[in-house]
Amino acid sequence: MAFDRTLFDTEFLQKLGYLSLVSKRLHRGRARGEHLTYRKGSSLEFFDYRSYEPGDDFRYIDWSIFNRLDRLVVKLFAAEEDLSIHLLVDTSLSMDFGEPKKIDYARKVAAALGYIGITSLDRVGVSVFSSELNEFLPPHRGRNQLFSLFDALSKIRPGGRTSLSRSLGKYSLQSRQSGLVIVISDLFDPEGYESAIQALLHKRYDVVLLQILNEQELSPTEKGELKLVDAETGESERFSVDSECLLRYQETLMSFFKEIEQFCLKRGVEYLRIITSTPFEDLILKYLRQGMHLH
Amino acid sequence: MEKPLFLLLLLLIPLLVWLHSLRGRRREVAVPSLVIWRRLLRNSGRSLRFRRFLRNLALLLQILVVVALTLALTDPFLLKRSAPYPPHIILIMDTTASMKTKLGSGSRFEEAKRMAVRAVNELPEATRVTVISAGSKPALVAPYSDDKNRVGGLIQQLEATDAAGYLREAVFLGLSFANREETTEIWLFSDGADDSPKDLELNETGVRLFQAGRQARNTGITKFQFRRRLDRPELYEILVQLTSYHAVVDEVPLELLVGGRSIYRETIYLEPFDERILIVPYEGLRADRAVVELKKTDDFSVDDRGYVVLTGSREIQVLLVGPGNYFLESVLSAFPNLHLTVKEHYTSGAEYDIIVFDRVSSPPLDFGNFILIDTLAPNLPWEIGGYLDNPVVSSWQKSHPVLRHLTLDDLAIRRIKRITGVKENQILCRAGNHPVMAVYEQQNIRVLYLGFNLLESDFPLRVSFPILIGNVLAWLSPGALASPTNQIRAGETFSFPIREGIRQISVVKPNGDVDQIEAPENPIHYSNTSTVGFYSVLGAAALDQFAVNLLSKSESDIQPRYQPPARGDGGRSEEPGFAGRTKNYLWPVLVVVALLLVPAEWFLWMRKW
């Protein structure tokens, strides 16, 4: 299967190999494919009790409790599944911005995480979204999936507006395999990101939020009488930008980040803010060192 | 605001706005999202709008600079009373003829009255006002009055005259009313068509001029005479002088009428500020009225008509009684308007203006004008007390009208009569203690006495002799030798003799008003001549009419000669209608404001955004 080698060149692939090795060393001792989920299943690991209901398997009735309490309860066991990694990449027009472009950086990050996941025998799928959920590669295991993943990522073309709530909500309804969802986006959605994350959490996904930004967004330098045009919507706002205005912009941006951090902290969402000037392998290593998901 | 045309410079403002819009055109900058920027707007919108306002402040300041400079060029001013009103105001109303110049629908004088009444009404209650009218002679109208209504009423009753005048005398009269112990201001309401305001140096004398006049057009009659021809005294001619007082070529149709009949018509062309003299020979009746009229319209009508009374037939009737005196007869015959009658014996003298008794006995004198030569009248209070041979004239009254312009030094006289009873003030010329010449004046009699025989002296051979006779004739019959016309300038006093016994005469003025004069003195001095035209004298007077004209070059020049200082005079120049207040020009303030705004605008303009 062929994919765009200008995006995923040899050097990039070498780095992926290196990252894979590093990740294995960091998580040595854990069995492959042994990712417990909190779904009820048939493993030997006890998970919980619940009252007996007609139709339940008699084999799981806890008779000792029945003897002591004269109540019928059945034992529940945690399901033992392979980890499914869902890479959700924002391809709205706002991602086609900066040097390097955020979309390219997101592509590399997604490829790296997917590569690590596949080499860890996890199921890895990728979807791209803007205002709608577009490409959808279901999670699968195996080397062929790696090629499919790279192919899907190389075909990404930025376009459309960002609508996290609609696209991620749709994904949460569409996907049948829970697992780890890694959302790679700049989170610049006028409707907000909160409802989208809530929808994923509601479907019991573990959510990792990677916010990708570039230097121009963090520290704009243009001054004067500006007509700022939204790359996604074409809407514009008039500003008289001076140093004071830029300072206030920074304050507003920091406040935005703070809100995201608070939101994620309250809901157990892992959040990482990335600047495109940071080498992606440094990001991956940082990601792994911080003990974030993948294993 | 004196130069409103400069307001057109405000059209620069749209240009400024256009230039500003070019400079302020916004650059389009693409951003990935407006999410953060819109949050910024929500959180700091007010502050950002204020900064946008600051951005536009440069334009606002530029507009203000243009407005300030434009207004400065239009010369705006505020009216302000520069100092408190003094307790005493002396208000002088110019009533000279030039105040009759047209101004709008009225005249300069009406405008001056309106300004004066308004100024009086604005005065505080305690301020007292003295009103003086300044015509040919200044006159007090209202002294020291704090009744503003009364003063206003008196001002309204004033009328401009046809007379020339000099404001200087009125100002001096006003200054004489100024109390040294209190502050006094003199307010002069005039058209400024007089040199007096300039001469008075208003700023220094404390005189405030309220000018009610502007440039005007006038061509007028400045001379109008009926006179004998010098080469042929039996003939007469009429002289008219026209003067132009404006800077355009003028075409003036002129008509001369005698007794209501047109005798001459011509159109006179006058260059700017030109003078033309017209002489018309006249051989008609010499007891009529002549009028010259300019058939045109200008701003000043008083000098458009001239009036003269033709009195060529009026001659002095002189009776010489005596044995004969060649010298005396020759001199008397030399006067052009004198008719001499010589008799050896006196019979009656009622029809003679002057009777001369030369070396003959005089009858008692009770009425008339007489010259007694080497003789005395029996009813005079003087007596002859012998003779004095070879008298030497020791002194004479050089200032007396009879002895004016002559000398009696080294006068050779064979002898004089010694007379006694002559009072000191009656003696004109003396030899030691003895009178050589004397005068006697009573109510109806006037006598010159010469105490020696002319033929026994060298006096008839001297230059002083005809001068003496001329002086005597003028003294005994004033005005009779001066001119064949009865004509004066408006405002002057006209003197004329009346016959003995007349107790009342009437003078009918040109407008039909009649002045009654009771128990008149002889001669009558009539001074109510403020209107030009013919005056008729009724009541058996020796004179029956006379004419009054303006005939004043300075008064016909109706252009205001005094221009109040334009600005910065500290409150001594006034504009019509702004009585008691002065102009505070605002242009310096506006220029300073503009100069302050320019660096502020520069700072905003150069600020890096």
Side-chain angles (χ1 to χ4, degrees):
Chain A
M1 189 173 289
F3 53 85
D4 189 349
R5 290 196 176 275
T6 57
L7 287 173
F8 303 125
D9 54 12
T10 308
E11 185 185 0
F12 174 73
L13 295 175
Q14 286 174 348
K15 285 181 181 176
L16 288 185
Y18 164 74
L19 288 173
S20 179
L21 289 174
V22 170
S23 69
K24 286 171 186 171
R25 189 166 59 246
L26 287 172
H27 298 279
R28 185 175 295 161
R30 298 190 98 178
R32 294 172 186 170
E34 292 179 354
H35 301 281
L36 294 178
T37 69
Y38 293 106
R39 289 173 59 185
K40 292 169 289 183
S42 56
S43 69
L44 293 177
E45 189 171 340
F46 174 73
F47 179 64
D48 202 357
Y49 289 104
R50 71 168 170 80
S51 296
Y52 171 80
E53 290 180 359
D56 284 343
D57 192 342
F58 292 157
R59 290 180 296 174
Y60 296 114
I61 295 174
D62 191 332
W63 296 107
S64 59
I65 290 177
F66 178 75
N67 286 336
R68 280 182 282 154
L69 301 177
D70 199 19
R71 281 181 59 192
L72 284 175
V73 295
V74 293
K75 290 188 283 188
L76 300 178
F77 297 92
E80 190 178 81
E81 294 180 342
D82 295 335
L83 178 63
S84 293
I85 299 174
H86 304 264
L87 296 168
L88 301 182
V89 180
D90 181 0
T91 61
S92 66
L93 281 172
S94 65
M95 293 293 286
D96 189 25
F97 205 85
E99 191 56 44
K101 291 183 177 180
K102 289 189 285 184
I103 189 68
D104 293 339
Y105 197 86
R107 229 188 310 238
K108 287 181 178 178
V109 169
L113 294 176
Y115 182 87
I116 293 171
I118 286 173
T119 55
S120 301
L121 301 180
D122 291 328
R123 298 173 188 273
V124 176
V126 65
S127 294
V128 296
F129 66 91
S130 54
S131 58
E132 294 290 344
L133 189 62
N134 298 326
E135 300 294 329
F136 180 63
L137 179 65
H140 286 291
R141 185 185 295 127
R143 188 162 296 275
N144 286 337
Q145 180 68 0
L146 184 61
F147 287 108
S148 299
L149 174 68
F150 282 10
D151 185 50
L153 290 174
S154 64
K155 286 181 179 174
I156 288 175
R157 294 289 178 271
R161 305 170 58 171
T162 306
S163 180
L164 289 168
S165 57
R166 184 187 297 179
S167 52
L168 297 191
K170 187 176 179 181
Y171 186 85
S172 66
L173 293 174
Q174 191 174 325
S175 174
R176 294 184 177 178
Q177 292 175 302
S178 61
L180 175 65
V181 171
I182 300 174
V183 179
I184 304 172
S185 170
D186 54 13
L187 299 183
F188 288 148
D189 184 353
E191 298 165 3
Y193 56 88
E194 294 90 344
S195 60
I197 305 301
Q198 289 281 25
L200 292 173
L201 291 174
H202 185 70
K203 293 290 285 185
R204 294 189 177 275
Y205 285 110
D206 294 328
V207 180
V208 173
L209 199 53
L210 299 181
Q211 186 180 21
I212 297 183
L213 302 166
N214 59 37
E215 284 290 350
Q216 287 89 341
E217 288 167 330
L218 289 175
S219 304
T221 54
E222 292 281 352
K223 290 182 181 179
E225 292 299 306
L226 301 183
K227 181 182 178 184
L228 303 180
V229 182
D230 192 313
E232 291 185 1
T233 63
E235 295 172 355
S236 62
E237 290 286 351
R238 293 166 184 274
F239 278 86
S240 296
V241 182
D242 58 358
S243 303
E244 177 73 18
C245 180
L246 292 178
L247 191 63
R248 290 179 184 276
Y249 175 86
Q250 297 272 3
E251 291 171 0
T252 307
L253 192 63
M254 290 303 122
S255 166
F256 179 60
F257 293 156
K258 187 94 175 173
E259 284 178 19
I260 298 174
E261 287 169 2
Q262 294 288 336
F263 177 84
C264 293
L265 188 64
K266 281 184 181 175
R267 288 160 182 80
V269 175
E270 292 177 2
Y271 168 68
L272 195 62
R273 189 164 57 247
I274 311 156
I275 302 173
T276 54
S277 57
T278 307
F280 84 95
E281 58 270 28
D282 292 352
L283 165 72
I284 300 301
L285 290 175
K286 180 183 175 185
Y287 179 92
L288 296 175
R289 286 195 183 102
Q290 284 184 357
M292 289 187 165
H293 282 79
L294 282 185
H295 295 282
Chain B
M1 191 174 292
E2 298 188 338
K3 300 168 185 170
L5 272 182
F6 279 106
L7 286 177
L8 291 175
L9 289 177
L10 290 177
L11 293 175
L12 289 174
I13 292 175
L15 180 66
L16 275 180
V17 173
W18 179 66
L19 290 173
H20 189 81
S21 68
L22 289 183
R23 187 227 184 216
R25 186 162 290 175
R26 294 171 184 273
R27 280 184 295 126
E28 278 195 4
V29 175
V31 292
S33 173
L34 289 173
V35 169
I36 304 301
W37 291 103
R38 284 178 172 158
R39 278 177 172 244
L40 176 62
L41 270 185
R42 279 198 300 274
N43 298 337
S44 310
R46 185 172 297 177
S47 168
L48 292 174
R49 278 192 292 274
F50 177 70
R51 301 191 71 76
R52 185 177 295 176
F53 164 75
L54 286 180
R55 181 71 184 81
N56 290 325
L57 190 57
L59 172 64
L60 184 63
L61 293 181
Q62 287 170 6
I63 291 173
L64 285 177
V65 168
V66 170
V67 169
L69 291 178
T70 301
L71 289 178
L73 287 171
T74 59
D75 243 3
F77 56 84
L78 286 176
L79 295 176
K80 189 181 175 185
R81 173 78 193 173
S82 58
Y85 286 101
H88 184 205
I89 302 284
I90 296 171
L91 196 151
I92 298 175
M93 297 296 297
D94 182 358
T95 59
T96 57
S98 65
M99 294 298 283
K100 286 190 168 181
T101 303
K102 290 179 191 169
L103 182 65
S105 59
S107 67
R108 290 178 178 177
F109 191 67
E110 289 169 7
E111 172 69 7
K113 284 201 292 188
R114 187 184 63 76
M115 290 166 55
V117 171
R118 181 175 158 188
V120 168
N121 289 335
E122 287 177 359
L123 291 174
E125 285 297 321
T127 302
R128 288 171 296 141
V129 181
T130 295
V131 182
I132 293 172
S133 69
S136 58
K137 299 178 187 66
L140 186 63
V141 177
Y144 293 103
S145 175
D146 57 2
D147 184 346
K148 306 298 184 301
N149 290 332
R150 176 173 170 272
V151 170
L154 289 172
I155 291 172
Q156 290 288 12
Q157 288 173 15
L158 288 174
E159 292 295 338
T161 66
D162 293 340
Y166 303 94
L167 298 176
R168 178 192 298 272
E169 284 76 6
V171 171
F172 289 161
L173 177 64
L175 289 172
S176 70
F177 283 95
N179 189 340
R180 289 185 180 180
E181 296 175 358
E182 64 181 15
T183 310
T184 302
E185 274 188 16
I186 295 181
W187 290 0
L188 176 58
F189 291 83
S190 170
D191 56 1
D194 189 294
D195 290 329
S196 299
K198 195 173 179 180
D199 296 342
L200 285 170
E201 296 178 349
L202 298 181
N203 290 350
E204 296 176 9
T205 54
V207 178
R208 175 173 290 161
L209 173 65
F210 295 79
Q211 190 160 311
R214 55 172 181 262
Q215 298 299 311
R217 294 183 54 168
N218 184 40
T219 298
I221 299 164
T222 49
K223 274 186 185 170
F224 185 36
Q225 294 177 357
F226 176 66
R227 62 185 190 182
R228 290 176 188 271
R229 289 176 56 175
L230 292 176
D231 53 340
R232 296 181 61 188
E234 72 276 13
L235 298 180
Y236 292 86
E237 61 189 12
I238 295 173
L239 179 145
V240 180
Q241 183 182 55
L242 301 183
T243 307
S244 166
Y245 291 97
H246 52 252
V248 293
V249 177
D250 215 352
E251 180 181 327
V252 185
L254 175 146
E255 185 174 17
L256 182 60
L257 303 102
V258 175
R261 184 173 54 88
S262 176
I263 64 165
Y264 185 80
R265 282 184 187 174
E266 187 178 350
T267 298
I268 311 293
Y269 294 91
L270 288 165
E271 296 293 321
F273 306 104
D274 192 12
E275 265 186 11
R276 289 285 302 278
I277 291 178
L278 187 70
I279 295 176
V280 181
Y282 179 71
E283 296 178 1
L285 293 173
R286 282 171 287 164
D288 217 329
R289 293 179 170 184
V291 175
V292 63
E293 187 173 357
L294 306 184
K295 303 280 189 181
K296 67 171 188 58
T297 303
D298 58 21
D299 295 324
F300 185 56
S301 62
V302 176
D303 59 3
D304 289 346
R305 285 170 70 91
Y307 310 89
V308 73
V309 177
L310 308 185
T311 57
S313 62
R314 172 75 178 130
E315 292 180 330
I316 302 174
Q317 299 295 322
V318 177
L319 172 63
L320 174 58
V321 183
N325 189 327
Y326 170 78
F327 300 104
L328 190 56
E329 290 174 21
S330 299
V331 169
L332 288 173
S333 300
F335 289 94
N337 55 339
L338 185 147
H339 185 264
L340 177 64
T341 304
V342 181
K343 291 184 178 178
E344 286 192 13
H345 304 284
Y346 175 76
T347 52
S348 170
E351 66 272 29
Y352 298 104
D353 297 310
I354 300 170
I355 301 174
V356 184
F357 293 100
D358 180 22
R359 294 167 289 153
V360 294
S361 298
S362 165
L365 307 177
D366 55 354
F367 172 80
N369 302 309
F370 303 94
I371 301 173
L372 302 180
I373 301 173
D374 200 20
T375 184
L376 273 180
N379 60 334
L380 290 182
W382 302 339
E383 291 182 0
I384 298 173
Y387 291 90
L388 176 66
D389 293 331
N390 301 316
V392 177
V393 174
S394 56
S395 65
W396 69 94
Q397 292 188 35
K398 297 176 182 175
S399 60
H400 194 279
V402 172
L403 300 183
R404 198 174 292 165
H405 312 306
L406 58 83
T407 177
L408 299 177
D409 285 337
D410 303 325
L411 180 62
I413 303 172
R414 183 168 174 267
R415 65 176 187 179
I416 60 171
K417 284 187 169 68
R418 289 184 176 183
I419 55 172
T420 57
V422 183
K423 295 178 182 175
E424 191 64 29
N425 62 349
Q426 294 174 326
I427 300 173
L428 294 183
C429 173
R430 66 174 69 232
N433 293 326
H434 305 287
V436 178
M437 294 185 200
V439 293
Y440 179 82
E441 291 182 89
Q442 283 298 319
Q443 188 172 3
N444 299 318
I445 186 171
R446 181 174 278 189
V447 177
L448 171 70
Y449 166 74
L450 270 71
F452 60 95
N453 183 356
L454 289 173
L455 300 179
E456 292 180 347
S457 73
D458 64 352
F459 193 38
L461 303 176
R462 299 168 71 114
V463 176
S464 294
F465 180 65
I467 298 174
L468 174 75
I469 298 302
N471 287 347
V472 171
L473 294 175
W475 181 64
L476 294 175
S477 181
L481 301 176
S483 169
T485 60
N486 294 324
Q487 183 189 34
I488 58 167
R489 289 193 172 95
E492 290 181 350
T493 299
F494 186 70
S495 300
F496 55 94
I498 57 173
R499 293 202 176 95
E500 181 59 25
I502 293 175
R503 296 298 171 205
Q504 177 183 336
I505 63 167
S506 302
V507 179
V508 183
K509 298 168 68 175
N511 57 7
D513 291 348
V514 178
D515 282 343
Q516 300 284 353
I517 303 174
E518 303 286 345
E521 294 184 354
N522 194 7
I524 288 178
H525 303 289
Y526 182 76
S527 58
N528 192 9
T529 57
S530 60
T531 307
V532 298
F534 292 109
Y535 288 68
S536 299
V537 182
L538 307 177
L543 173 99
D544 58 356
Q545 60 182 336
F546 61 94
V548 175
N549 291 290
L550 176 60
L551 302 184
S552 167
K553 285 189 175 180
S554 64
E555 198 65 28
S556 286
D557 186 358
I558 56 175
Q559 312 298 349
R561 261 93 86 191
Y562 179 73
Q563 294 298 326
R567 57 169 69 100
D569 63 322
R572 289 297 178 196
S573 65
E574 307 297 342
E575 286 292 316
F578 299 143
R581 285 169 286 178
T582 56
K583 286 178 177 179
N584 281 9
Y585 285 90
L586 299 178
W587 69 267
V589 177
L590 291 168
V591 169
V592 168
V593 168
L595 290 176
L596 290 176
L597 288 176
V598 165
E601 187 275 335
W602 180 83
F603 172 76
L604 288 171
W605 185 259
M606 298 302 291
R607 183 172 172 176
K608 301 294 183 187
W609 296 92

